[in-house]
Amino acid sequence: MASNIGKMIADVRPFIVSDALPEDSRQALLQAAKDLQYDLETPLDTVNRYRCSHATAGQGNGPTLTLTGRLFRYAASIRTVKQVGEDTWTASKLTHNLDAPIIQAHVHEARDENSEYFEALNAMMAFIRYSKSGIDVFPFEEKIPSVFKSDAETSNNPLFVDIGGGREQMCRTFRDRFPNLRGRVIFQDLPHTIAEAEPAPDIEGMPYDFFDPQPIKGANIYFLRYVLHGWPDAKAEAILERVIEAMGPESVILINEKVLQDIGTSTMAAGLDLQMMMLFASQERSEKEWKALLGRVGLEVEYLIRYQEEEGDGVMLVRRAKI
């Protein structure tokens, strides 16, 4: 299927880029391409395209109906709504995409457990956490051989601690990848999130605020996924300092975040950065910015692997900096 689509695109491309293409034909093709894009979009595609598009209407002297009509006219032109008559609009597929609870949670970034969006936010985070992660791609055996010790003493020692781990999804991924590894696998999050989780017998849930002292000392791996990007540098440093205080001689930190290219960042990743700036005064960080942040608290990146390049995802193996 993919090869057939690629062939069709390759066949039509010479006609599209030709200088001889009449302007009316070019406009018709452009509109058809837009329609095809909108038809193919999932709700998450839609919110990614709209995340940095904001229209602001100031107070004017004209009637409200006129302003509303002008705004709806533009919205219809980009298929956010559908015009069905003069001064009459109805919901389009994109309208329904944007109104989906999981997208509304993304827009509002609900943090209040009493918020109407809180359940949808948890569902969204579960979707994100069940998607491909750094745990799926990281070469544990090569880079952290200490976790594969087989002596009996390791059975009650903390092996893997997911800080801000939601409802145990990443701990489950880790256990599924390494079912024979001894040691405690723990996910930590705020009490209301832990209360809603249903961990398996081989996974522990623990209420914890990552600005408080870390109660699990000397774990092999402390794991942070999509935590630090939600905080400005000073707060991110405070979170990391709590982890450093708990680390043992062989402890490492795995940071699974966006790691933007220093040159040539994708549109999606750059848009996510702007979203974090607008919502939380925080940021998605480039490799250079990550190294600077970690260096300020006495850590260094030993290894970085990128995956899902368009989204900018990566996982960093972090240790105490060598003195």
Side-chain angles (χ1 to χ4, degrees):
M1 181 67 175
S3 61
N4 290 338
I5 292 173
K7 184 177 185 305
M8 286 188 289
I9 293 172
D11 288 342
V12 77
R13 186 174 296 279
F15 299 98
I16 294 174
V17 300
S18 171
D19 292 337
L21 186 68
E23 179 61 16
D24 58 346
S25 298
R26 190 189 71 82
Q27 289 289 345
L29 281 169
L30 181 62
Q31 191 60 55
K34 288 180 180 178
D35 290 340
L36 181 61
Q37 174 190 347
Y38 300 148
D39 287 342
L40 288 170
E41 279 186 353
T42 66
L44 287 176
D45 293 330
T46 300
V47 80
N48 280 335
R49 181 164 58 84
Y50 272 78
R51 68 174 74 249
C52 296
S53 301
H54 302 277
T56 303
Q59 281 192 322
N61 297 323
T64 302
L65 180 60
T66 301
L67 174 60
T68 302
R70 291 169 67 186
L71 292 174
F72 269 91
R73 182 170 60 196
Y74 175 74
S77 76
I78 59 173
R79 305 303 189 269
T80 307
V81 297
K82 181 179 180 180
Q83 187 166 11
V84 295
E86 186 176 352
D87 296 328
T88 307
W89 293 267
T90 189
S92 67
K93 179 186 176 184
L94 270 68
T95 314
H96 293 297
N97 279 352
L98 291 168
D99 193 48
I102 196 169
I103 300 306
Q104 286 299 308
H106 188 80
V107 171
H108 289 268
E109 292 286 348
R111 296 200 182 208
D112 179 2
E113 63 181 301
N114 298 314
S115 165
E116 62 181 301
Y117 301 110
F118 184 74
E119 281 304 312
L121 178 66
N122 270 336
M124 179 189 74
M125 293 307 296
F127 172 83
I128 291 171
R129 289 180 179 276
Y130 275 123
S131 62
K132 188 175 183 180
S133 75
I135 294 175
D136 297 301
V137 301
F138 188 81
F140 287 90
E141 296 95 331
E142 176 188 351
K143 298 298 180 181
I144 322 177
S146 61
V147 305
F148 296 92
K149 291 179 179 178
S150 59
D151 53 3
E153 294 180 0
T154 62
S155 60
N156 292 318
N157 291 343
L159 171 64
F160 182 90
V161 180
D162 185 1
I163 302 168
R167 297 176 176 176
E168 59 82 31
Q169 296 93 342
M170 290 299 97
C171 286
R172 182 74 270 151
T173 300
F174 184 81
R175 277 294 194 204
D176 288 346
R177 183 172 174 188
F178 303 109
N180 297 321
L181 275 183
R182 298 169 181 262
R184 297 167 63 196
V185 173
I186 304 161
F187 66 101
Q188 300 174 324
D189 213 306
L190 296 175
H192 51 261
T193 300
I194 297 297
E196 294 173 354
E198 297 179 357
D202 57 350
I203 296 173
E204 304 173 41
M206 178 180 293
Y208 173 63
D209 183 324
F210 44 55
F211 290 110
D212 293 338
Q214 171 60 250
I216 302 299
K217 311 295 185 184
N220 288 87
I221 301 168
Y222 293 96
F223 183 69
L224 290 158
R225 186 177 192 222
Y226 302 148
V227 170
L228 300 175
H229 76 153
W231 300 94
D233 281 358
K235 293 291 188 180
E237 290 171 21
I239 295 168
L240 289 166
E241 285 167 350
R242 291 306 194 188
V243 181
I244 294 168
E245 292 167 359
M247 292 174 72
E250 295 196 25
S251 297
V252 301
I253 307 173
L254 284 184
I255 299 177
N256 192 179
E257 290 267 6
K258 307 297 181 187
V259 184
L260 308 187
Q261 298 285 354
D262 291 319
I263 299 174
T265 300
S266 71
T267 299
M268 180 179 290
L272 285 166
D273 176 44
L274 294 180
Q275 182 188 31
M276 302 312 293
M277 176 181 69
M278 290 183 288
L279 290 173
F280 306 125
S282 62
Q283 66 185 103
E284 303 292 359
R285 296 174 173 92
S286 68
E287 182 176 354
K288 180 180 178 180
E289 289 164 336
W290 277 115
K291 288 179 177 178
L293 171 67
L294 295 165
R296 288 195 293 272
V297 294
L299 297 170
E300 63 182 5
V301 178
E302 181 177 291
Y303 177 78
L304 163 65
I305 182 171
R306 285 188 167 92
Y307 62 101
Q308 298 183 164
E309 290 286 343
E310 178 66 19
E311 291 87 349
D313 290 293
V315 57
M316 295 172 282
L317 172 61
V318 175
R319 297 184 190 269
R320 285 193 178 93
K322 297 180 178 66
I323 300 175

